[in-house]
Amino acid sequence: MKKLLLSFLCAMAVFTTQSQNSLMGKITEKSTNLPLEQVSIYFPDLQKGGVTNENGEFKIGNLPLGNYKVVASYIGFQSFSQNIVIQQGENNLNINLAPSAIEMDEVIVSTPFHKLQRDNVMKVEYARVAALKSTGAPTLVEGIGKIPGVDVVSTGVGIGKPAIRGLTSNRVLVYTQGIRLENQQFGAEHGLGVNEAGIESVEVIKGPASLLYGSDAMGGVLYLNPERFASAHSIEGDVNLSYNTNTRGISSDAGIRSSGENLRFLARVATNNHIDYTGGDGKRVTNSRFNEKDLKLGVGYQNTVFTTEMRYNYNQSNLGIPESIDVQTTSRTPELPYQKINNHILSSKTKIFFENASLDVTLGYVGNDRKEFEEHHHHDGEADHGDEEGHDETALDMKLQTFSYNILYQLPKWEKFETVLGVQGIHQSNKNYGEEALIPDATTQDIGILGTTHFHLNENNDFQLGLRYDHRKIVGTPYGIVGEEGYIAELNQKFNSFNGAFGYKNNFSEAFTGRFNIATGFRAPNLAELTSYGGHAGANRFEIGIADLKNEQNIQLDLALEFKNEHVEFFINGFHNSVRNYIFIAPDGTFINDKSVYRYLQQDATLYGGEIGFHLHPHPYDWLHLESSYQTVFGELDKGEPLPLIPANKLTNTFRVEFLRKDGWWSKSNAFITLNNIFKQGKISENETISPAYSLLDAGFSGELTLMNQIIKFNFSANNLLDKQYIAHLSRLKTDGIFNMGRSITLGATILL
């Protein structure tokens, strides 16, 4: 007993000693040596940080022993990044930040080494959600569509999904809370399904990311970063409100974050409610209305041995499916047909620290309950939807459950090498309860093994390479009666793939950087492509899947060149993407039940293009910004036929001014005017129509002020200021001649509590 007590006391002594490990110091302006207040200092690997006080001082406690990257960032200054060895007891670090007109550099977390963008071998686009919202975008995905190289396949305003360099749906993987978002994304009318409340930033990998994420990441990854926990020993809260004049849309959310030395907690609730939007012709698009409710919760615990957090997100969405211009109404309740979606996302992330090494374990569950109600399933012509909860009332009722795991081990740094080994996988089940079935009851199992390393040769040269193997098994049960419409045969398929990636970054000078990346990716066919057999009412066609489809396999080359100094920034990104066994759908010339038969086919395809951008911020007039970007994508099958859903070329020019004051009741202000030129899309597939060119004018103003010690942020923005009549090439309502949204003015405010 005495030995046991002695061992316990020794262990407690060791823990107490380690818990006293801290980093303290002072952050000053390099040119004047004056202290800087409210500078963020953060350990990306530990997800722990703080801010400086009025004397520029900071202290972060409860740190584990080992070598970790620390980042200091502040608007108007160049971000600081350095590895520091945390030793037992107090550690000291003083930092001088140099003023810079260049946008603040951010830590990229969608790649495994958590580096600042300027240090990353792979080019990753980064955007804060607050900045996207300030442009007046009514939804998160519409805001993401403003990032160069990213577009939106839309069904009205409420339903949209990202398209990266001409690839979308199951070719683009979405991550939220650190786990795969699985929500029947094969469907063209299935939106993103995530509310922007509680999402801090967005990262976009434009190109094959199968090395890091497996199947479905062959076209790229959209990585949504949730809001951070509050700094230690603090409580933070905020309320956000916005109103959209076009849809009379009312959006609101409120959140609270509280952190002690070890325990952390956050909660956020949000609502979003819109009526039918008005097109450029002044008519409301019937049943484009939508509403949603969202809840996000998070709890975390951290000590010197490990850090862990659990997050939960519940989202309920009611989405009208627009089909025509009909009765003009301001109702907020969707009519038939409409979707009702309940989404549950539960994630657990744990990081265990060893000296100079770590183990990350991420577990996730996504429960997607998708119901669709149609006119012919409504009894006696009644219009009340209140009782349409039973399975016998739904046209479609699909329940998708996905369990995922991601285990990554970061080896101790050896010489100039950083290496990560990992295993990832999912177990997924789909079940049907409605009157119809688009895909069968099925189970999908994935497992992938990967290894990747980063080699820092010297200050100017970095290399990154990796290799991965994946195995997927899909088992589907038969549905319906053989020979009748809607019959789905039994399915038992296995797919395997090896993939690799190599990247090189060279800092030719302090201002000029070049990146070269070559990577392979793959996508296993989805259930719709493998099993479809029946009429598709929305497209008025009969679709037939092919059970023996092969993997899509691609190889993409990326070249990125960047130039940055105190006056100007310039970038040019080019890519060439070769896809073997590209899956597409096309008519075969026959008819079933008076409907044209469309079959899923495979053929090699090629996509190529890129983005070019320019940003002028002449010193000493750092408040003045002139920004311009151009993006282009070309896609064609091996026989020369254009691919469908290739976005039109786009040129965006923005004039922006921003002012930052360190004292006074009005501390920040920002104003912009943007001209979006979308060019004619004449290279179209057999089932598309030509889209003419058009131009859209946007403008906005935002600021931050303090009233009675209360910080209030506000924004005013106007999209399509000239009320232009246009139809985007990627709009699914194009075939019905329905215009996109006309003039839209958004008023928003954030109150920091």
Side-chain angles (χ1 to χ4, degrees):
M1 183 68 182
K2 290 182 178 180
K3 290 183 178 180
L4 181 62
L5 180 60
L6 182 61
S7 298
F8 175 76
L9 292 175
C10 290
M12 288 299 296
V14 170
F15 180 82
T16 302
T17 301
Q18 287 197 353
S19 66
Q20 296 173 359
N21 303 333
S22 63
L23 177 67
M24 58 190 304
K26 187 174 184 178
I27 300 180
T28 57
E29 184 176 347
K30 189 173 184 179
S31 57
T32 64
N33 210 34
L34 293 175
L36 291 173
E37 185 181 0
Q38 292 298 309
V39 178
S40 171
I41 183 160
Y42 188 66
F43 287 88
D45 294 329
L46 308 179
Q47 299 181 31
K48 189 176 182 70
V51 295
T52 56
N53 60 21
E54 65 274 10
N55 299 316
E57 299 169 342
F58 68 90
K59 183 175 182 179
I60 305 173
N62 206 24
L63 299 174
L65 301 175
N67 190 331
Y68 303 101
K69 184 183 298 296
V70 62
V71 175
S73 57
Y74 189 58
I75 296 176
F77 290 82
Q78 184 176 357
S79 296
F80 168 88
S81 175
Q82 179 179 302
N83 276 71
I84 182 172
V85 177
I86 300 299
Q87 298 177 337
Q88 187 170 305
E90 291 187 350
N91 298 263
N92 291 278
L93 177 66
N94 294 322
I95 301 172
N96 289 320
L97 291 184
S100 173
I102 298 174
E103 300 292 338
M104 188 170 64
D105 222 355
E106 301 286 353
V107 176
I108 301 301
V109 301
S110 56
T111 55
F113 301 108
H114 291 183
K115 296 183 178 296
L116 290 176
Q117 178 55 64
R118 66 171 181 255
D119 300 323
N120 227 30
V121 174
M122 181 185 297
K123 175 67 175 177
V124 179
E125 298 288 348
Y126 179 96
R128 289 190 171 274
V129 170
L132 298 178
K133 288 175 63 177
S134 69
T135 64
T139 61
L140 175 61
V141 70
E142 290 288 341
I144 293 170
K146 297 180 181 294
I147 298 174
V150 183
D151 291 273
V152 179
V153 179
S154 64
T155 307
V157 177
I159 303 175
K161 59 199 320 173
I164 300 178
R165 288 176 168 175
L167 298 178
T168 187
S169 298
N170 279 92
R171 298 183 178 97
V172 172
L173 190 61
V174 178
Y175 256 62
T176 183
Q177 297 179 196
I179 64 173
R180 293 172 63 114
L181 178 61
E182 294 287 324
N183 60 355
Q184 308 283 14
Q185 59 265 35
F186 71 89
E189 75 282 9
H190 298 171
L192 187 63
V194 177
N195 186 281
E196 67 269 15
I199 304 295
E200 183 175 285
S201 61
V202 177
E203 297 175 21
V204 181
I205 300 177
K206 296 184 292 189
S210 293
L211 171 68
L212 303 177
Y213 298 106
S215 179
D216 298 354
M218 66 171 290
V221 173
L222 183 65
Y223 199 97
L224 307 177
N225 292 312
E227 63 180 316
R228 298 177 184 177
F229 290 97
S231 300
H233 308 293
S234 67
I235 300 176
E236 302 170 359
D238 61 88
V239 176
N240 300 273
L241 303 168
S242 70
Y243 178 76
N244 184 287
T245 59
N246 186 294
T247 64
R248 301 185 188 179
I250 303 171
S251 299
S252 62
D253 70 88
I256 186 170
R257 303 184 295 173
S258 175
S259 292
E261 182 63 33
N262 301 104
L263 192 62
R264 304 178 292 179
F265 170 80
L266 61 82
R268 185 168 297 276
V269 293
T271 63
N272 202 3
N273 198 298
H274 297 257
I275 68 172
D276 295 342
Y277 78 86
T278 302
D281 58 353
K283 297 179 180 179
R284 293 200 178 276
V285 178
T286 306
N287 206 29
S288 60
R289 67 203 69 165
F290 64 98
N291 58 75
E292 65 176 329
K293 300 174 183 177
D294 192 82
L295 169 69
K296 291 184 174 72
L297 299 172
V299 61
Y301 180 83
Q302 187 173 47
N303 59 31
T304 60
V305 179
F306 73 96
T307 177
T308 185
E309 69 176 53
M310 181 174 291
R311 294 180 186 253
Y312 171 72
N313 178 206
Y314 170 70
N315 182 276
Q316 182 190 83
S317 300
N318 295 303
L319 306 165
I321 302 177
E323 296 179 318
S324 62
I325 306 295
D326 205 338
V327 178
Q328 301 291 285
T329 176
T330 57
S331 172
R332 296 179 181 270
T333 303
E335 300 176 353
L336 299 172
Y338 75 98
Q339 297 179 20
K340 183 173 183 178
I341 303 169
N342 289 286
N343 217 42
H344 300 268
I345 304 174
L346 179 65
S347 64
S348 168
K349 297 178 65 177
T350 300
K351 189 165 190 173
I352 304 172
F353 303 106
F354 310 102
E355 192 163 351
N356 299 322
S358 63
L359 178 68
D360 283 276
V361 180
T362 302
L363 306 175
Y365 167 78
V366 178
N368 179 257
D369 183 0
R370 180 180 297 272
K371 297 179 181 179
E372 185 171 316
F373 301 90
E374 296 179 1
E375 186 69 38
H376 62 279
H377 294 276
H378 194 70
H379 299 299
D380 301 324
E382 298 175 1
D384 181 19
H385 309 317
D387 297 325
E388 291 184 347
E389 291 293 319
H391 296 149
D392 59 333
E393 293 289 344
T394 57
L396 290 173
D397 187 350
M398 300 184 290
K399 288 182 170 58
L400 184 71
Q401 298 188 81
T402 306
F403 298 88
S404 62
Y405 59 89
N406 183 4
I407 303 172
L408 299 176
Y409 177 65
Q410 184 157 359
L411 279 66
K413 294 181 176 65
W414 177 69
E415 297 292 336
K416 298 181 178 181
F417 288 90
E418 297 177 69
T419 302
V420 171
L421 302 176
V423 57
Q424 300 171 341
I426 67 171
H427 177 85
Q428 184 177 89
S429 65
N430 181 76
K431 290 188 178 297
N432 291 279
Y433 297 94
E435 297 181 7
E436 302 173 2
L438 293 180
I439 56 176
D441 292 356
T443 59
T444 301
Q445 294 184 3
D446 271 5
I447 184 170
I449 302 171
L450 69 103
T452 182
T453 187
H454 180 277
F455 175 54
H456 181 65
L457 179 62
N458 51 44
E459 291 299 320
N460 297 322
N461 295 276
D462 289 85
F463 298 85
Q464 188 171 317
L465 56 90
L467 186 66
R468 178 185 180 114
Y469 171 76
D470 281 277
H471 173 78
R472 168 171 286 192
K473 182 179 180 181
I474 304 177
V475 177
T477 59
Y479 175 85
I481 300 174
V482 178
E484 293 189 2
E485 180 178 333
Y487 172 72
I488 300 175
E490 183 179 6
L491 180 70
N492 192 332
Q493 290 280 49
K494 296 180 180 179
F495 303 94
N496 305 283
S497 181
F498 279 99
N499 289 281
F502 171 80
Y504 170 63
K505 180 180 74 74
N506 184 285
N507 297 325
F508 301 106
S509 66
E510 185 176 346
F512 194 58
T513 301
R515 291 180 174 89
F516 171 78
N517 283 272
I518 181 171
T520 65
F522 89 105
R523 181 180 76 91
N526 62 48
L527 284 169
E529 295 162 341
L530 292 168
T531 64
S532 291
Y533 190 86
H536 192 295
N540 193 29
R541 65 193 188 196
F542 195 99
E543 297 183 1
I544 299 178
I546 307 297
D548 58 355
L549 290 173
K550 302 176 182 177
N551 278 344
E552 287 185 338
Q553 193 80 40
N554 75 327
I555 180 169
Q556 180 166 312
L557 284 77
D558 281 273
L559 180 64
L561 301 174
E562 301 173 19
F563 178 85
K564 294 183 178 182
N565 65 17
E566 63 178 348
H567 302 291
V568 67
E569 300 175 49
F570 174 80
F571 71 85
I572 180 169
N573 305 323
F575 75 95
H576 186 277
N577 187 4
S578 298
V579 186
R580 190 173 71 246
N581 296 321
Y582 184 91
I583 300 173
F584 63 101
I585 192 167
D588 66 2
T590 63
F591 292 85
I592 296 180
N593 298 333
D594 296 325
K595 294 180 180 179
S596 179
V597 174
Y598 281 67
R599 295 181 183 271
Y600 284 98
L601 305 171
Q602 288 192 300
Q603 189 180 135
D604 294 349
T606 303
L607 298 97
Y608 57 93
E611 305 86 36
I612 185 170
F614 173 82
H615 182 186
L616 175 66
H617 40 74
H619 185 72
Y621 307 106
D622 300 332
W623 50 270
L624 176 63
H625 298 263
L626 295 173
E627 300 169 293
S628 181
S629 66
Y630 176 76
Q631 64 184 58
T632 181
V633 179
F634 298 92
E636 58 186 28
L637 293 168
D638 193 41
K639 295 181 180 179
E641 302 169 1
L643 289 175
L645 296 178
I646 298 299
N649 297 342
K650 181 167 63 175
L651 173 65
T652 301
N653 294 287
T654 298
F655 173 76
R656 177 166 56 92
V657 294
E658 58 182 20
F659 298 95
L660 176 65
R661 298 175 57 187
K662 296 184 179 180
D663 53 17
W665 64 277
W666 192 309
S667 56
K668 297 179 183 178
S669 57
N670 180 303
F672 74 90
I673 183 167
T674 298
L675 179 63
N676 300 287
N677 297 288
I678 292 83
F679 296 89
K680 174 183 176 182
Q681 178 55 291
K683 296 184 177 181
I684 56 175
S685 69
E686 181 180 355
N687 306 305
E688 293 181 311
T689 57
I690 293 175
S691 296
Y694 57 91
S695 297
L696 303 175
L697 186 66
D698 302 335
F701 176 77
S702 61
E704 181 177 312
L705 49 86
T706 303
L707 296 176
M708 294 181 293
N709 295 322
Q710 188 71 57
I711 298 177
I712 301 175
K713 300 179 180 180
F714 66 91
N715 69 278
F716 169 89
S717 58
N719 293 99
N720 193 4
L721 195 58
L722 302 181
D723 209 18
K724 179 74 174 181
Q725 296 184 28
Y726 75 99
I727 303 177
H729 186 66
L730 298 189
S731 170
R732 295 188 64 251
L733 304 181
K734 181 184 176 185
T735 55
D736 298 313
I738 297 177
F739 291 111
N740 284 73
M741 184 182 286
R743 182 185 298 112
S744 171
I745 298 175
T746 301
L747 306 172
T750 296
I751 303 173
L752 301 181
L753 305 178

